[in-house]
Amino acid sequence: GCGCFACRKHSRAYIHHLVNTHEILGDVLLHIHNQHHYAQFFQAIRQSIAAGTFDAYAANFHARRRHAPPQRAGGEAAGGG
């Protein structure tokens, strides 16, 4: 799973409840989660640039996205029940 503060300290069900009941904490936790993923993404880009492997990184990134099933809002693959 995700290693961000929100996911380590709170269940997906609890975060889902917070968002659906319009509690501000739900938005805060989603923001923390998203910022964590952006920080990891851009760190990987910076590392690939420094290593001179950005073109390969970008090609791999696009290949993984091309074959990934569409995602629902909760992170589940669409069409899965």
Side-chain angles (χ1 to χ4, degrees), residues 4-81:
C4 75
F5 172 81
C7 293
R8 283 185 288 116
K9 300 293 183 180
H10 306 284
S11 71
R12 285 178 54 191
Y14 179 60
I15 295 171
H16 180 80
H17 161 76
L18 292 172
V19 170
N20 283 334
T21 57
H22 307 286
E23 293 284 345
I24 190 80
L25 179 58
D27 291 335
V28 170
L29 293 174
L30 289 178
H31 179 76
I32 290 169
H33 174 80
N34 289 336
Q35 285 297 118
H36 174 80
H37 282 278
Y38 274 116
Q40 287 186 320
F41 176 61
F42 287 115
Q43 178 63 31
I45 290 173
R46 285 191 295 274
Q47 289 173 343
S48 70
I49 291 170
T53 59
F54 178 75
D55 289 338
Y57 176 84
N60 182 274
F61 176 86
H62 288 291
R64 285 184 294 157
R65 297 305 179 277
R66 193 171 26 252
H67 299 294
Q71 297 289 310
R72 290 186 181 160
E76 300 171 351

